[in-house]
């Protein structure tokens, strides 16, 4: 199970490659559930009033099975700048929250992570708008031919502000998201009946999934309204395929509840929750496998299929130091 802690036995490029491959793989595997979530939130005819299976089948019949992966390339490309910005911002926020002896409380740690995610989300927000537009559009009669074409058309037809439509909801949604995460993490010791320091990798994996599920459920209405705002456009057929007409963020909340009921704010939640376990599972397992391959290539372990250490190798040496040590040994021999 991946710990995501920095391992000095990997080079910076190897760590980046492992994280990137893990992220893109997990996004691609769970892309169909992401697409169905977005279509349900927007109120697409494929998802409106249908169960998850029927919605997916309707979409495939209308646009082909490839429609389940609409917008996935955008999501994968967004991953790299988003992750880099989130990591840099997180380090800054942690420095703000640590006390004089370098300790940080659980609440402050969650806040630092949430604020870092917020900064990264706002900075890369145009790519999220593009992803939503690509998912919502008809794949057989597309308004946008690709990522760059979508960026060009949105900018020239609707202006730069259209690329940031609903961005305030990313900020507002971070508040209930943080509260949901905090509620879970502050009660984990009671749930498991033991101190958090003794949690196994499996328990930590379950904890992450549980926290994500609760946090996303609490903040989901903000996500639903954000998707509707991203998709809505007077330049697209049927106004972008949104099931209601509205004139702003507050009006979108009102019209959604008035037209479809309060539960419509959680439309697509089932697909989103079903996505959590495979998303994290694929991410962690892919990261671990890539990490083992790199450790094997660097000479620290005997096989990429296990973590069995190579006999006689000092695991405290960094990759460059280990290679220099081996080269020196060969010369002396």
């Amino acid at each position: 199970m991946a710990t995501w802690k920095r391992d000095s036995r990997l080079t910076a490029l190897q760590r980046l490659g492992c994280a990137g491959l893990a992220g893109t793989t997990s996004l691609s595997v769970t892309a169909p559930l992401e697409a169905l979530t977005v279509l349900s939130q927007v109120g697409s005819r494929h998802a409106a009033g249908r169960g998850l299976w029927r919605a997916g089948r309707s979409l495939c019949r209308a646009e082909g099975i490839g429609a389940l992966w609409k917008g996935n390339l955008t999501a994968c490309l967004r991953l790299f700048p988003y992750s880099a910005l989130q990591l840099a911002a997180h380090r800054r926020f942690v420095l703000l929250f640590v006390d004089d002896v370098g300790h940080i409380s659980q609440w402050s740690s969650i806040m630092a992570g949430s604020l870092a995610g917020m900064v990264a989300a706002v900075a890369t927000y145009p790519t999220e708008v593009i992803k939503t537009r690509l998912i919502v559009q008809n794949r057989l009669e597309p308004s946008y031919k690709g990522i760059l074409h979508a960026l060009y058309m949105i900018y020239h037809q609707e202006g730069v502000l259209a690329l940031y439509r609903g961005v305030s909801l990313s900020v507002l949604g971070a508040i209930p998201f943080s509260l949901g995460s905090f509620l879970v993490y502050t009660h984990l010791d009671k749930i498991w009946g033991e101190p958090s320091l003794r949690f196994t990798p499996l328990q930590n994996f379950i904890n992450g999934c549980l926290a994500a599920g609760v946090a996303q459920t609490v903040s989901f209405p903000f996500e639903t309204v954000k998707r509707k705002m991203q998709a809505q456009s007077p330049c697209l057929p049927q106004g972008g395929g949104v099931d209601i007409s509205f004139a702003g963020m507050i009006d979108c909340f009102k019209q959604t509840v008035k037209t479809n009921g309060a539960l419509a704010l959680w439309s697509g939640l089932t697909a989103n929750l079903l996505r959590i376990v495979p998303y994290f599972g694929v991410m962690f397992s892919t990261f671990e496998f890539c990490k083992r391959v790199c450790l094997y290539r660097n000479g620290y372990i005997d096989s990429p299929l296990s973590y069995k250490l190579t006999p006689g190798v000092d695991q405290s040496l960094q990759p460059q130091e280990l290679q220099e040590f081996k080269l020196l040994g060969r010369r002396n021999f």
Side-chain angles (χ1 to χ4, degrees), residues 104-114 174-191 207-208 210-216 218:
I104 184 170
S105 68
Q106 194 169 51
W107 168 248
S108 296
S109 179
I110 292 173
M111 279 299 298
S114 299
I175 298 173
F177 189 93
S178 299
L179 290 174
S181 300
F182 183 69
L183 283 173
V184 174
Y185 281 113
T186 52
H187 291 84
L188 286 176
D189 54 344
K190 297 177 182 178
I191 294 173
N207 295 342
L210 182 61
V214 172
Q216 289 182 20
V218 173

Side-chain angles (χ1 to χ4, degrees), residues 16 79-89 120:
L16 179 63
L79 177 67
F80 293 94
Y82 180 93
S83 300
L85 288 168
Q86 185 182 35
L87 180 60

Side-chain angles (χ1 to χ4, degrees), residues 257-331:
V257 174
K258 181 180 178 180
T259 305
N260 302 316
L263 290 180
L265 292 171
W266 281 270
S267 181
L269 178 63
T270 301
N272 193 59
L273 293 179
L274 288 175
R275 177 174 172 263
I276 292 174
V277 173
Y279 179 84
F280 284 112
V282 171
M283 180 189 292
F284 289 149
S285 58
T286 303
F287 182 86
E288 281 299 289
F289 180 74
C290 292
K291 179 179 175 180
R292 287 199 301 266
V293 170
C294 292
L295 290 176
Y296 172 71
R297 288 178 60 85
N298 291 350
Y300 292 100
I301 60 177
D302 274 344
S303 168
L305 301 178
S306 71
Y307 272 118
K308 185 178 180 182
L309 303 180
T310 302
V313 172
D314 186 350
Q315 299 290 324
S316 66
L317 293 176
Q318 294 186 2
Q320 184 62 33
E321 294 173 329
L322 180 58
Q323 296 306 316
E324 292 176 354
F325 180 79
K326 287 182 178 180
L327 183 61
L328 181 62
R330 291 193 193 101
R331 287 176 179 173

